[in-house]
């Protein structure tokens, strides 16, 4: 029997692919304090799903287009009379609500909304697996290619300008990478939990890393472990797989925070 004939094997590879792409990208989300931006992009993806089903096109393509559009709109409107958190809050929840309403109008289309909201990793097909690893590889390649420039722009826009780096261009690179991760993560953890898979492994890795590169590697390790352990726990306890993966990541964060607290010197 072919290894990929097993739904558990496909689920394992899918979880690893998403975790390895999301965790290093999540480091930049944490460093730049873009957590709400990631959540807004993820929430907008339900509108992409509705549009893709309406026009009978690829879910991946629909989500990617809407996620990119959300990133472009936020970048364009920010600083024009609205605070960033207000703008993201309005756009994130509006896109989610419009997407859910649009789905309800679809005629003759059977859709498991829960699978899109919370993921359905056990239903990953060979084609889904190819899309997930293709998107993950592209994200990792983009981060490797622009790593130094992204770090400089994250550290200081003024320093980036002095080094001949355009901060807005690096912001667009992150937006594209974020849109790709959202598009490939739909099947694994769903719309509502994508932001958690981006942020939690990176946040858990932060206390144990002295360099940005080490933090990205540790975050990828935590993300991969969360995917594997969460999948195993969901199989044993018969719990929803996507939320279980996020619960394992949250447990890693809690344990890491506790260890970091214990090793800090006590000051009186």
């Amino acid at each position: 029997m072919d290894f990929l004939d097993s739904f558990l094997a496909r689920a394992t590879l899918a979880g690893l692919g998403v975790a390895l792409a999301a965790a290093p990208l999540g480091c930049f989300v944490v460093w730049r304090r873009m957590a709400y931006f990631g959540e807004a992009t993820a929430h907008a993806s339900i509108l992409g799903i509705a549009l893709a089903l309406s026009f009978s096109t690829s879910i991946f393509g629909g989500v990617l287009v809407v996620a990119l559009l959300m990133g472009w709109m936020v970048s364009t409107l920010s600083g024009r009379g609205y605070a960033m958190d207000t703008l993201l809050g309005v756009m994130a929840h509006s896109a989610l609500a419009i997407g859910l309403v649009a789905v309800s109008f679809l005629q003759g289309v059977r859709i498991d909304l829960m699978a899109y909201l919370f993921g359905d990793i056990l239903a990953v097909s060979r084609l889904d697996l190819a899309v997930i690893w293709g998107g993950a590889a592209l994200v990792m390649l983009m981060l490797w290619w622009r790593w130094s420039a992204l770090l400089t722009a994250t550290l200081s826009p003024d320093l980036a300008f002095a080094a001949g780096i355009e901060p807005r261009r690096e912001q667009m690179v992150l937006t594209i990478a974020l849109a790709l991760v959202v598009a490939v993560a739909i099947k694994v953890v769903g719309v509502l939990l994508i932001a958690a898979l981006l942020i939690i492994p990176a946040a858990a890795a932060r206390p144990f890393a002295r360099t940005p590169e080490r933090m990205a590697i540790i975050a990828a390790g935590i993300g991969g472990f969360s995917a594997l352990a969460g999948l195993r726990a969901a199989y044993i306890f018969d719990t929803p797989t996507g939320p279980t993966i996020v619960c394992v990541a949250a447990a890693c964060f809690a344990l890491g925070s506790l260890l970091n607290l214990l090793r800090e010197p006590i000051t009186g």
Side-chain angles (χ1 to χ4, degrees), residues 46 49-50 53 59 103-104 106 108-116:
I46 196 71
I49 293 169
L53 292 173
I59 296 291
V103 166
S104 71
L106 294 177
V109 178
R110 296 184 64 185
I111 176 174
D112 182 5
L113 195 57
M114 293 295 287
Y116 290 112

Side-chain angles (χ1 to χ4, degrees), residues 60 70 104 106 117 129 221:
F60 174 82
M70 170 65 81
S104 71
L106 294 177
L117 291 177
L129 203 55

Side-chain angles (χ1 to χ4, degrees), residues 6-203:
S6 168
F7 73 94
L8 281 176
R10 295 194 299 271
T12 300
L13 290 175
L16 284 175
V18 170
L20 291 177
L25 178 62
C27 293
F28 283 101
V29 173
V30 170
W31 292 332
R32 286 173 169 250
R33 299 180 180 179
M34 291 172 58
Y36 212 176
F37 184 88
E39 188 173 351
T41 306
H43 283 183
S45 63
I46 196 71
L47 179 58
I49 293 169
L51 292 174
L53 292 173
S54 299
F55 294 101
S56 301
T57 59
S58 163
I59 296 291
F60 174 82
V63 171
L64 183 61
V65 168
V66 171
L68 287 172
L69 182 61
M70 170 65 81
W72 175 78
M73 289 177 65
V74 170
S75 299
T76 302
L77 295 176
S78 61
R80 300 192 178 185
Y82 296 100
M84 179 62 81
D85 60 340
T86 302
L87 185 63
L88 288 172
V90 169
M91 296 186 70
H93 297 100
S94 298
L96 179 61
I98 292 169
L100 291 172
V101 171
V103 166
S104 71
F105 281 110
L106 294 177
Q107 298 294 328
V109 178
R110 296 184 64 185
I111 176 174
D112 182 5
L113 195 57
M114 293 295 287
Y116 290 112
L117 291 177
F118 297 104
D120 191 10
I121 190 174
L122 298 180
V124 168
S125 66
R126 289 170 180 261
L127 179 59
D128 293 328
L129 203 55
V131 169
I132 287 170
W133 274 95
L138 190 55
V139 169
M140 289 186 282
L141 184 62
M142 289 173 66
L143 291 179
W144 173 79
W145 172 49
R146 303 301 302 171
W147 183 263
S148 179
L150 284 169
L151 279 179
T152 304
T154 299
L155 179 65
S156 168
D158 293 334
L159 185 62
F161 273 121
I165 298 168
E166 175 54 58
R168 294 188 70 87
R169 181 183 61 198
E170 304 311 317
Q171 174 71 29
M172 188 53 62
V173 169
L174 283 178
T175 299
I176 294 171
L178 193 59
L180 278 168
V181 166
V182 167
V184 301
I186 289 287
K187 271 281 190 178
V188 176
V189 291
V191 170
L192 299 182
L193 297 175
I194 291 172
L197 203 59
L198 277 165
I199 299 163
I200 297 176

